[in-house]
Coordinates of all heavy atoms in Angstrom, one line a residue:
M1 N 19.8 6.2 12.3 CA 18.5 6.9 12.5 C 18.8 8.3 12.9 O 19.6 8.5 13.8 CB 17.7 6.1 13.5 CG 16.4 6.8 13.8 SD 15.0 6.4 12.7 CE 14.9 4.6 12.8
K2 N 18.1 9.2 12.2 CA 18.2 10.6 12.5 C 17.0 11.1 13.2 O 15.9 10.5 13.0 CB 18.5 11.5 11.3 CG 19.8 11.3 10.6 CD 20.0 12.2 9.5 CE 21.4 12.0 8.9 NZ 21.8 13.1 8.1
F3 N 17.1 12.2 14.0 CA 15.9 12.7 14.7 C 15.9 14.2 14.4 O 16.9 14.9 14.6 CB 16.1 12.5 16.2 CG 16.1 11.0 16.5 CD1 17.3 10.3 16.7 CD2 14.9 10.3 16.5 CE1 17.3 9.0 16.9 CE2 14.9 8.9 16.8 CZ 16.1 8.2 16.9
V4 N 14.8 14.7 13.9 CA 14.6 16.1 13.5 C 13.5 16.7 14.4 O 12.5 16.1 14.7 CB 14.1 16.1 12.0 CG1 13.9 17.5 11.6 CG2 15.1 15.4 11.2
K5 N 13.8 18.0 14.8 CA 12.8 18.7 15.7 C 12.4 19.9 14.9 O 13.2 20.6 14.3 CB 13.5 19.2 16.9 CG 14.0 18.1 17.8 CD 14.6 18.6 19.1 CE 16.1 18.5 18.9 NZ 16.9 18.9 20.1
T6 N 11.0 20.1 14.9 CA 10.5 21.3 14.2 C 10.7 22.5 15.1 O 11.0 22.4 16.3 CB 9.0 21.1 14.0 OG1 8.3 20.9 15.2 CG2 8.7 19.9 13.0
P7 N 10.4 23.7 14.6 CA 10.6 24.9 15.4 C 9.7 24.9 16.7 O 10.1 25.3 17.7 CB 10.1 26.0 14.5 CG 10.5 25.5 13.1 CD 10.2 24.1 13.2
G8 N 8.5 24.3 16.5 CA 7.6 24.2 17.7 C 8.2 23.3 18.8 O 8.1 23.7 20.0
I9 N 8.8 22.2 18.4 CA 9.5 21.4 19.4 C 10.7 22.1 20.0 O 10.9 21.9 21.2 CB 9.8 20.0 18.8 CG1 8.6 19.3 18.4 CG2 10.7 19.2 19.7 CD1 7.6 19.0 19.5
E10 N 11.4 22.8 19.2 CA 12.6 23.5 19.7 C 12.1 24.5 20.8 O 12.7 24.7 21.8 CB 13.3 24.3 18.6 CG 14.0 23.4 17.6 CD 15.3 22.9 18.2 OE1 15.8 23.3 19.3 OE2 15.9 22.0 17.5
R11 N 10.9 25.1 20.5 CA 10.4 26.1 21.4 C 9.9 25.5 22.8 O 10.2 26.0 23.8 CB 9.2 26.9 20.8 CG 8.6 28.0 21.6 CD 7.5 28.7 20.9 NE 6.3 27.9 20.9 CZ 5.7 27.3 19.9 NH1 6.3 27.4 18.7 NH2 4.7 26.6 20.0
V12 N 9.1 24.4 22.7 CA 8.6 23.8 23.9 C 9.6 22.9 24.7 O 9.5 22.8 25.9 CB 7.3 23.0 23.7 CG1 6.2 23.9 23.1 CG2 7.5 21.8 22.9
G13 N 10.5 22.3 24.0 CA 11.6 21.5 24.6 C 11.1 20.2 25.1 O 9.9 19.9 25.0
C14 N 12.0 19.4 25.5 CA 11.7 18.1 26.1 C 12.5 17.9 27.4 O 13.6 18.4 27.5 CB 12.2 17.0 25.1 SG 12.0 15.3 25.6
K15 N 11.8 17.3 28.4 CA 12.4 17.2 29.7 C 13.4 16.0 29.8 O 14.2 16.0 30.7 CB 11.3 17.0 30.7 CG 10.4 18.3 30.7 CD 9.2 18.1 31.6 CE 8.3 19.2 31.4 NZ 8.0 20.0 32.6
D16 N 13.4 15.1 28.8 CA 14.4 14.0 28.8 C 14.5 13.4 27.4 O 13.8 12.4 27.1 CB 13.9 12.9 29.8 CG 14.9 11.8 30.1 OD1 15.8 11.6 29.3 OD2 14.8 11.2 31.2
W17 N 15.4 14.0 26.6 CA 15.5 13.5 25.2 C 16.1 12.1 25.2 O 15.7 11.3 24.3 CB 16.4 14.5 24.4 CG 15.7 15.6 23.8 CD1 15.8 17.0 24.1 CD2 14.6 15.6 22.9 NE1 14.9 17.7 23.4 CE2 14.2 16.9 22.6 CE3 14.0 14.5 22.2 CZ2 13.2 17.2 21.7 CZ3 13.0 14.8 21.3 CH2 12.6 16.2 21.0
K18 N 17.0 11.8 26.1 CA 17.6 10.5 26.1 C 16.5 9.4 26.2 O 16.5 8.4 25.5 CB 18.6 10.4 27.2 CG 19.4 9.1 27.2 CD 20.5 9.1 28.2 CE 21.2 7.7 28.2 NZ 22.3 7.7 29.2
L19 N 15.6 9.6 27.2 CA 14.5 8.6 27.4 C 13.6 8.6 26.2 O 13.2 7.5 25.7 CB 13.8 8.9 28.7 CG 12.6 8.0 29.0 CD1 12.9 6.6 29.0 CD2 11.9 8.5 30.2
T20 N 13.2 9.8 25.7 CA 12.3 9.9 24.6 C 12.8 9.2 23.3 O 12.1 8.4 22.7 CB 12.0 11.4 24.2 OG1 11.5 12.0 25.4 CG2 11.1 11.5 23.1
I21 N 14.1 9.4 23.0 CA 14.7 8.7 21.9 C 14.8 7.2 22.1 O 14.5 6.4 21.1 CB 16.1 9.3 21.6 CG1 16.1 10.8 21.2 CG2 16.9 8.5 20.5 CD1 15.3 11.1 20.0
S22 N 15.1 6.8 23.3 CA 15.1 5.3 23.5 C 13.8 4.7 23.3 O 13.6 3.6 22.8 CB 15.7 5.0 24.9 OG 14.8 5.4 25.9
I23 N 12.7 5.4 23.7 CA 11.3 4.9 23.5 C 11.0 4.8 22.0 O 10.5 3.8 21.6 CB 10.3 5.8 24.2 CG1 10.5 5.7 25.8 CG2 8.9 5.5 23.8 CD1 9.7 6.7 26.5
V24 N 11.4 5.8 21.3 CA 11.1 5.8 19.8 C 11.9 4.7 19.2 O 11.3 4.0 18.3 CB 11.5 7.2 19.2 CG1 11.5 7.2 17.7 CG2 10.5 8.3 19.7
I25 N 13.1 4.5 19.5 CA 13.9 3.4 18.9 C 13.3 2.0 19.2 O 13.1 1.2 18.4 CB 15.4 3.5 19.4 CG1 16.0 4.7 18.7 CG2 16.1 2.2 19.0 CD1 17.4 5.0 19.2
R26 N 12.9 1.8 20.5 CA 12.2 0.6 20.8 C 10.9 0.4 20.1 O 10.7 -0.7 19.5 CB 12.0 0.5 22.3 CG 11.4 -0.8 22.8 CD 11.0 -0.9 24.2 NE 10.0 0.0 24.7 CZ 8.7 -0.2 24.5 NH1 8.2 -1.2 23.9 NH2 7.8 0.7 25.0
L27 N 10.1 1.4 20.0 CA 8.9 1.3 19.2 C 9.1 1.1 17.7 O 8.3 0.4 17.1 CB 7.9 2.5 19.5 CG 7.4 2.5 21.0 CD1 6.7 3.8 21.2 CD2 6.6 1.3 21.3
F28 N 10.1 1.7 17.2 CA 10.5 1.5 15.8 C 10.7 0.0 15.5 O 10.3 -0.5 14.5 CB 11.7 2.4 15.4 CG 12.1 2.1 14.0 CD1 11.4 2.5 12.9 CD2 13.3 1.4 13.8 CE1 11.8 2.3 11.6 CE2 13.7 1.1 12.5 CZ 13.0 1.6 11.4
K29 N 11.4 -0.6 16.4 CA 11.7 -2.1 16.3 C 10.4 -2.9 16.3 O 10.4 -4.0 15.7 CB 12.6 -2.6 17.4 CG 14.0 -2.0 17.3 CD 14.9 -2.5 18.4 CE 16.3 -1.8 18.3 NZ 17.1 -2.1 19.5
D30 N 9.3 -2.3 16.9 CA 8.0 -3.0 16.9 C 7.2 -2.5 15.7 O 6.0 -2.7 15.7 CB 7.3 -2.7 18.2 CG 7.9 -3.3 19.4 OD1 8.6 -4.3 19.2 OD2 7.6 -2.9 20.5
K31 N 7.8 -1.8 14.7 CA 7.2 -1.3 13.5 C 6.2 -0.2 13.7 O 5.3 0.0 12.9 CB 6.5 -2.5 12.8 CG 7.3 -3.7 12.5 CD 8.2 -3.5 11.4 CE 8.9 -4.8 10.9 NZ 10.2 -5.0 11.4
E32 N 6.4 0.6 14.8 CA 5.5 1.8 15.0 C 6.2 3.0 14.3 O 7.3 3.4 14.6 CB 5.4 2.1 16.5 CG 4.7 1.0 17.3 CD 3.2 0.9 17.0 OE1 2.6 1.8 16.4 OE2 2.7 -0.2 17.3
H33 N 5.4 3.5 13.3 CA 5.9 4.6 12.5 C 5.3 6.0 12.9 O 5.7 7.0 12.4 CB 5.8 4.3 11.0 CG 6.7 3.2 10.6 ND1 6.6 2.7 9.3 CD2 7.6 2.5 11.2 CE1 7.4 1.7 9.2 NE2 8.1 1.6 10.3
F34 N 4.3 5.9 13.7 CA 3.6 7.1 14.2 C 3.5 7.0 15.7 O 2.8 6.0 16.2 CB 2.3 7.3 13.5 CG 1.6 8.6 13.9 CD1 1.7 9.7 13.0 CD2 0.9 8.8 15.1 CE1 1.1 10.9 13.4 CE2 0.4 10.0 15.4 CZ 0.4 11.1 14.6
I35 N 4.0 7.9 16.4 CA 4.0 7.8 17.9 C 3.5 9.2 18.4 O 4.0 10.2 18.0 CB 5.4 7.5 18.5 CG1 5.9 6.2 17.9 CG2 5.4 7.5 20.0 CD1 7.4 6.0 18.1
S36 N 2.6 9.1 19.4 CA 2.1 10.3 20.0 C 2.4 10.3 21.5 O 2.2 9.3 22.2 CB 0.5 10.4 19.8 OG 0.0 11.5 20.4
F37 N 2.9 11.4 22.0 CA 3.2 11.6 23.4 C 2.2 12.6 23.9 O 2.1 13.7 23.5 CB 4.6 12.2 23.6 CG 5.7 11.3 23.1 CD1 6.1 11.3 21.7 CD2 6.4 10.5 23.9 CE1 7.1 10.5 21.2 CE2 7.4 9.6 23.4 CZ 7.8 9.7 22.1
E38 N 1.4 12.1 24.9 CA 0.3 12.9 25.5 C 0.5 13.1 27.0 O 0.7 12.1 27.7 CB -1.0 12.3 25.2 CG -1.2 12.0 23.7 CD -2.4 11.1 23.5 OE1 -3.3 11.0 24.3 OE2 -2.5 10.5 22.4
P39 N 0.4 14.3 27.5 CA 0.4 14.4 29.0 C -0.8 13.8 29.7 O -1.9 13.8 29.1 CB 0.5 15.9 29.2 CG -0.2 16.5 28.0 CD 0.1 15.5 26.9
R40 N -0.6 13.2 30.9 CA -1.7 12.7 31.6 C -1.6 13.2 33.1 O -0.5 13.5 33.6 CB -1.6 11.1 31.6 CG -2.0 10.5 30.4 CD -3.6 10.7 30.2 NE -4.0 10.3 29.0 CZ -4.5 11.1 28.0 NH1 -4.5 12.4 28.2 NH2 -5.0 10.6 26.9
A41 N -2.7 13.1 33.7 CA -2.8 13.5 35.1 C -1.8 12.7 35.9 O -1.5 11.5 35.6 CB -4.2 13.3 35.7
G42 N -1.3 13.3 37.0 CA -0.3 12.6 37.8 C 1.1 12.8 37.2 O 2.0 12.0 37.6
R43 N 1.3 13.7 36.3 CA 2.6 14.0 35.8 C 3.2 12.8 35.0 O 4.4 12.5 35.2 CB 3.5 14.6 36.8 CG 2.9 15.7 37.6 CD 3.6 16.9 38.0 NE 4.7 17.4 37.3 CZ 4.7 18.4 36.4 NH1 3.7 19.0 36.1 NH2 5.9 18.8 35.9
K44 N 2.4 12.2 34.2 CA 2.8 11.1 33.4 C 2.7 11.4 31.9 O 2.0 12.4 31.6 CB 2.0 9.8 33.7 CG 2.1 9.4 35.2 CD 1.3 8.2 35.5 CE 1.5 7.8 36.9 NZ 1.0 6.4 37.2
T45 N 3.3 10.6 31.1 CA 3.2 10.7 29.6 C 2.6 9.4 29.1 O 3.1 8.3 29.4 CB 4.5 10.9 29.0 OG1 5.1 12.1 29.5 CG2 4.4 11.1 27.5
R46 N 1.5 9.5 28.4 CA 0.9 8.4 27.7 C 1.4 8.4 26.2 O 1.4 9.4 25.6 CB -0.6 8.6 27.7 CG -1.4 7.4 27.0 CD -2.9 7.6 27.2 NE -3.6 6.5 26.6 CZ -4.4 6.7 25.6 NH1 -4.7 7.9 25.1 NH2 -5.1 5.6 25.1
I47 N 1.8 7.2 25.8 CA 2.4 7.0 24.5 C 1.4 6.1 23.7 O 1.1 5.0 24.1 CB 3.8 6.5 24.5 CG1 4.7 7.4 25.3 CG2 4.3 6.3 23.1 CD1 6.0 6.8 25.7
T48 N 0.9 6.7 22.5 CA 0.0 5.9 21.7 C 0.5 5.8 20.3 O 1.5 6.5 19.9 CB -1.4 6.6 21.7 OG1 -1.4 7.8 20.9 CG2 -1.9 6.9 23.1
D49 N -0.3 5.1 19.5 CA 0.0 5.0 18.0 C -0.7 6.0 17.2 O -0.7 5.9 16.0 CB -0.3 3.6 17.5 CG -1.7 3.2 17.6 OD1 -2.6 4.1 18.0 OD2 -2.1 2.1 17.2
G50 N -1.3 7.0 17.9 CA -2.1 8.0 17.2 C -3.5 7.6 17.0 O -4.4 8.5 16.7
N51 N -3.9 6.4 17.2 CA -5.2 5.9 17.1 C -5.8 5.5 18.4 O -6.6 4.6 18.5 CB -5.3 4.7 16.1 CG -5.0 5.1 14.7 OD1 -5.5 6.1 14.2 ND2 -4.3 4.3 14.0
E52 N -5.2 6.1 19.5 CA -5.6 5.8 20.8 C -5.2 4.4 21.3 O -5.7 4.0 22.4 CB -7.1 6.1 21.1 CG -7.4 7.6 20.8 CD -6.5 8.6 21.7 OE1 -6.3 8.3 22.9 OE2 -6.0 9.5 21.1
N53 N -4.4 3.7 20.6 CA -4.0 2.4 21.1 C -2.7 2.7 22.0 O -1.7 3.1 21.5 CB -3.6 1.4 19.9 CG -4.8 1.1 19.1 OD1 -5.8 0.7 19.6 ND2 -4.7 1.2 17.8
E54 N -2.8 2.4 23.2 CA -1.8 2.7 24.2 C -0.6 1.8 24.0 O -0.7 0.6 23.9 CB -2.3 2.6 25.6 CG -1.4 3.2 26.6 CD -2.1 3.3 28.0 OE1 -2.9 4.2 28.2 OE2 -1.8 2.4 28.8
L55 N 0.6 2.4 23.9 CA 1.8 1.6 23.7 C 2.6 1.6 25.0 O 3.4 0.6 25.2 CB 2.7 2.2 22.6 CG 2.0 2.4 21.2 CD1 2.8 3.1 20.2 CD2 1.6 1.0 20.6
A56 N 2.5 2.7 25.8 CA 3.3 2.7 27.0 C 2.8 3.9 27.8 O 2.2 4.8 27.3 CB 4.8 2.9 26.7
I57 N 3.2 3.9 29.1 CA 3.0 5.0 30.0 C 4.3 5.2 30.7 O 5.0 4.3 31.1 CB 1.9 4.7 31.1 CG1 0.6 4.5 30.5 CG2 1.9 5.8 32.2 CD1 -0.2 5.8 30.2
V58 N 4.8 6.5 30.7 CA 6.0 6.9 31.4 C 5.6 7.6 32.6 O 4.8 8.5 32.6 CB 6.9 7.7 30.4 CG1 8.1 8.2 31.1 CG2 7.2 7.0 29.2
D59 N 6.3 7.3 33.7 CA 5.9 7.9 35.0 C 6.5 9.3 35.2 O 6.9 9.7 36.3 CB 6.4 7.0 36.2 CG 5.5 5.8 36.3 OD1 4.3 5.9 35.9 OD2 5.9 4.7 36.8
K60 N 6.7 10.0 34.1 CA 7.1 11.4 34.2 C 6.6 12.2 32.9 O 6.4 11.5 31.9 CB 8.6 11.6 34.5 CG 9.5 11.2 33.3 CD 10.9 11.2 33.8 CE 11.9 11.6 32.8 NZ 13.2 11.7 33.3
L61 N 6.6 13.5 33.0 CA 6.3 14.2 31.8 C 7.5 14.3 30.9 O 8.6 14.7 31.4 CB 5.8 15.6 32.2 CG 4.4 15.7 32.7 CD1 4.1 17.2 33.2 CD2 3.4 15.3 31.6
L62 N 7.4 14.0 29.7 CA 8.5 14.1 28.8 C 8.5 15.5 28.1 O 9.5 16.0 27.7 CB 8.5 13.0 27.7 CG 8.7 11.6 28.3 CD1 8.5 10.6 27.2 CD2 10.1 11.5 28.9
F63 N 7.3 16.1 27.9 CA 7.1 17.4 27.3 C 6.3 18.2 28.3 O 5.7 17.7 29.2 CB 6.5 17.3 26.0 CG 7.3 16.5 25.0 CD1 7.1 15.1 24.8 CD2 8.3 17.1 24.2 CE1 7.9 14.4 23.9 CE2 9.1 16.4 23.4 CZ 8.9 15.0 23.2
P64 N 6.2 19.5 28.1 CA 5.3 20.3 29.0 C 3.9 19.8 29.1 O 3.4 19.1 28.2 CB 5.3 21.7 28.3 CG 6.6 21.8 27.5 CD 6.8 20.3 27.0
D65 N 3.3 20.0 30.3 CA 2.1 19.3 30.6 C 0.8 19.7 29.8 O -0.2 19.1 30.0 CB 1.8 19.5 32.1 CG 1.6 20.9 32.6 OD1 1.6 21.8 31.7 OD2 1.4 21.1 33.8
D66 N 0.9 20.6 28.9 CA -0.2 21.0 28.1 C 0.1 20.8 26.6 O -0.6 21.3 25.7 CB -0.6 22.4 28.3 CG 0.5 23.4 28.0 OD1 1.7 23.0 27.9 OD2 0.2 24.6 27.9
V67 N 1.1 20.0 26.3 CA 1.5 19.8 24.9 C 1.5 18.3 24.5 O 2.0 17.4 25.2 CB 3.0 20.3 24.8 CG1 3.5 20.0 23.4 CG2 3.1 21.8 25.1
K68 N 0.9 18.1 23.3 CA 0.9 16.8 22.7 C 2.0 16.9 21.6 O 2.1 17.9 20.9 CB -0.4 16.5 22.0 CG -0.5 15.1 21.3 CD -1.8 14.9 20.5 CE -2.8 14.3 21.4 NZ -4.0 13.8 20.6
V69 N 2.8 15.8 21.5 CA 3.9 15.8 20.5 C 3.8 14.5 19.7 O 3.4 13.4 20.2 CB 5.2 15.8 21.2 CG1 6.4 15.5 20.3 CG2 5.4 17.1 21.9
W70 N 4.0 14.6 18.4 CA 4.0 13.5 17.5 C 5.5 13.2 17.0 O 6.2 14.2 16.8 CB 3.2 13.8 16.2 CG 1.7 13.8 16.4 CD1 1.0 13.5 17.6 CD2 0.8 14.3 15.5 NE1 -0.3 13.7 17.4 CE2 -0.5 14.2 16.1 CE3 0.8 14.8 14.2 CZ2 -1.7 14.6 15.5 CZ3 -0.3 15.2 13.6 CH2 -1.6 15.1 14.2
A71 N 5.8 12.0 16.8 CA 7.0 11.5 16.2 C 6.6 10.7 15.0 O 6.0 9.7 15.2 CB 7.9 10.8 17.2
I72 N 7.0 11.1 13.8 CA 6.6 10.5 12.6 C 7.8 10.0 11.8 O 8.8 10.8 11.6 CB 5.8 11.4 11.7 CG1 4.5 11.9 12.5 CG2 5.4 10.8 10.4 CD1 3.7 13.0 11.7
Y73 N 7.8 8.7 11.5 CA 8.9 8.1 10.7 C 8.9 8.5 9.3 O 7.9 8.7 8.6 CB 8.8 6.6 10.8 CG 9.8 5.8 10.0 CD1 11.1 5.7 10.4 CD2 9.4 5.3 8.8 CE1 12.0 5.0 9.7 CE2 10.3 4.6 8.0 CZ 11.6 4.4 8.4 OH 12.5 3.8 7.7
G74 N 10.1 8.7 8.7 CA 10.3 9.0 7.3 C 11.5 8.3 6.8 O 12.4 7.9 7.5
D75 N 11.5 8.1 5.5 CA 12.7 7.4 4.8 C 12.8 8.0 3.4 O 11.9 7.9 2.6 CB 12.4 5.9 4.7 CG 13.6 5.1 4.1 OD1 14.5 5.8 3.5 OD2 13.5 3.9 4.1
D76 N 13.9 8.8 3.2 CA 14.0 9.5 1.9 C 15.0 8.7 1.0 O 15.6 9.3 0.1 CB 14.5 10.9 2.1 CG 15.8 11.1 2.8 OD1 16.6 10.1 2.9 OD2 16.2 12.2 3.1
E77 N 15.2 7.4 1.3 CA 16.1 6.6 0.5 C 17.6 6.8 0.9 O 18.4 5.9 0.6 CB 15.9 6.7 -1.0 CG 14.5 6.2 -1.4 CD 14.3 6.2 -2.9 OE1 15.3 6.3 -3.7 OE2 13.2 6.2 -3.3
E78 N 17.9 7.9 1.5 CA 19.3 8.1 2.0 C 19.4 8.0 3.5 O 20.4 7.5 4.1 CB 19.8 9.5 1.6 CG 20.1 9.6 0.1 CD 20.7 10.9 -0.3 OE1 21.3 11.6 0.6 OE2 20.4 11.4 -1.4
N79 N 18.3 8.4 4.2 CA 18.3 8.4 5.6 C 16.9 7.9 6.1 O 15.9 8.2 5.5 CB 18.5 9.8 6.2 CG 19.8 10.4 5.8 OD1 20.8 9.8 6.3 ND2 19.9 11.4 5.0
E80 N 16.9 7.3 7.3 CA 15.7 7.0 8.0 C 15.7 8.0 9.2 O 16.7 8.3 9.8 CB 15.8 5.6 8.6 CG 15.7 4.5 7.6 CD 15.7 3.1 8.2 OE1 16.7 2.8 8.9 OE2 14.6 2.4 8.0
Y81 N 14.5 8.5 9.5 CA 14.4 9.6 10.5 C 13.1 9.6 11.1 O 12.1 9.1 10.6 CB 14.8 10.9 9.9 CG 13.9 11.3 8.7 CD1 12.7 12.0 8.9 CD2 14.2 10.9 7.4 CE1 11.9 12.3 7.8 CE2 13.4 11.2 6.3 CZ 12.2 11.9 6.6 OH 11.4 12.2 5.5
Y82 N 13.0 10.2 12.3 CA 11.8 10.6 13.0 C 11.8 12.1 13.1 O 12.7 12.7 13.5 CB 11.7 9.9 14.4 CG 11.0 8.6 14.4 CD1 11.8 7.4 14.2 CD2 9.6 8.4 14.5 CE1 11.2 6.2 14.2 CE2 9.1 7.2 14.5 CZ 9.8 6.1 14.4 OH 9.3 4.8 14.4
T83 N 10.6 12.7 12.7 CA 10.4 14.1 12.9 C 9.5 14.3 14.1 O 8.4 13.7 14.2 CB 9.8 14.7 11.7 OG1 10.6 14.5 10.5 CG2 9.6 16.2 11.9
F84 N 10.0 15.1 15.1 CA 9.2 15.4 16.2 C 8.5 16.7 15.9 O 9.2 17.7 15.5 CB 10.1 15.6 17.5 CG 10.6 14.3 18.0 CD1 11.8 13.7 17.5 CD2 9.9 13.6 19.0 CE1 12.2 12.5 18.0 CE2 10.4 12.4 19.5 CZ 11.6 11.9 19.0
L85 N 7.2 16.8 16.1 CA 6.5 18.0 15.8 C 5.2 18.1 16.6 O 4.8 17.1 17.2 CB 6.1 18.0 14.3 CG 5.1 17.0 13.8 CD1 4.3 17.5 12.6 CD2 5.8 15.7 13.4
L86 N 4.7 19.3 16.7 CA 3.4 19.6 17.3 C 2.3 19.3 16.3 O 2.5 19.5 15.1 CB 3.3 21.0 17.8 CG 4.4 21.5 18.7 CD1 4.3 23.0 19.0 CD2 4.4 20.7 20.0
P87 N 1.2 18.8 16.7 CA 0.1 18.4 15.8 C -0.2 19.6 14.8 O -0.5 19.4 13.6 CB -1.1 18.1 16.6 CG -0.4 17.5 17.9 CD 0.8 18.4 18.1
E88 N -0.2 20.8 15.3 CA -0.6 22.0 14.5 C 0.5 22.3 13.4 O 0.3 23.1 12.5 CB -0.9 23.2 15.3 CG 0.2 23.6 16.3 CD 0.2 23.0 17.7 OE1 -0.5 22.0 17.9 OE2 0.8 23.6 18.6
E89 N 1.7 21.7 13.5 CA 2.7 21.8 12.6 C 2.6 20.8 11.4 O 3.4 20.9 10.5 CB 4.1 21.7 13.2 CG 4.4 22.8 14.2 CD 5.8 22.6 14.8 OE1 6.0 21.6 15.5 OE2 6.6 23.5 14.6
Y90 N 1.7 19.9 11.5 CA 1.6 18.8 10.5 C 1.1 19.4 9.2 O 0.3 20.2 9.1 CB 0.7 17.7 11.0 CG 0.6 16.6 10.1 CD1 1.6 15.7 9.9 CD2 -0.6 16.4 9.3 CE1 1.5 14.6 9.1 CE2 -0.7 15.3 8.4 CZ 0.4 14.4 8.3 OH 0.3 13.3 7.5

């Protein structure tokens, strides 16, 4: 599995890539192909399927507190990958 970051994600950064990647891998095993990371009050991160179905809550911010991040699965027949991007980059 490869992980790709768009220029917007490179710019805003992630506070814990190791944890973020482990969450994505776990959710991929549950067949989640679209994952949204959203900041929540109390310095937490809410993880949804993009349709507001909550998948998890992390007790820390993974991305800056005013940024929503999407991770979208792709498969180009040679590689499986998740692209991390800002919604406005979609």
Side-chain angles (χ1 to χ4, degrees):
M1 178 80 60
K2 292 186 175 192
F3 299 96
V4 179
K5 298 179 255 180
T6 62
I9 296 300
E10 291 284 353
R11 185 180 74 252
V12 300
C14 178
K15 298 173 189 237
D16 190 339
W17 275 116
K18 184 176 180 180
L19 176 57
T20 300
I21 296 299
S22 71
I23 290 167
V24 169
I25 290 170
R26 182 182 64 79
L27 292 174
F28 174 73
K29 291 177 183 175
D30 291 340
K31 308 281 191 258
E32 294 295 340
H33 293 172
F34 185 99
I35 302 166
S36 178
F37 298 85
E38 307 168 17
R40 284 291 172 249
R43 311 221 21 104
K44 296 181 180 192
T45 301
R46 180 175 182 242
I47 302 166
T48 72
D49 65 359
N51 291 320
E52 297 306 313
N53 296 310
E54 192 170 281
L55 304 172
I57 296 281
V58 177
D59 286 334
K60 69 187 211 176
L61 285 174
L62 296 175
F63 298 94
D65 63 5
D66 60 343
V67 175
K68 181 188 268 191
V69 171
W70 291 347
I72 301 173
Y73 174 77
D75 182 350
D76 65 9
E77 297 182 16
E78 290 182 28
N79 296 297
E80 291 182 299
Y81 57 91
Y82 270 91
T83 301
F84 288 87
L85 66 154
L86 304 175
E88 57 268 22
E89 293 179 298
Y90 184 74

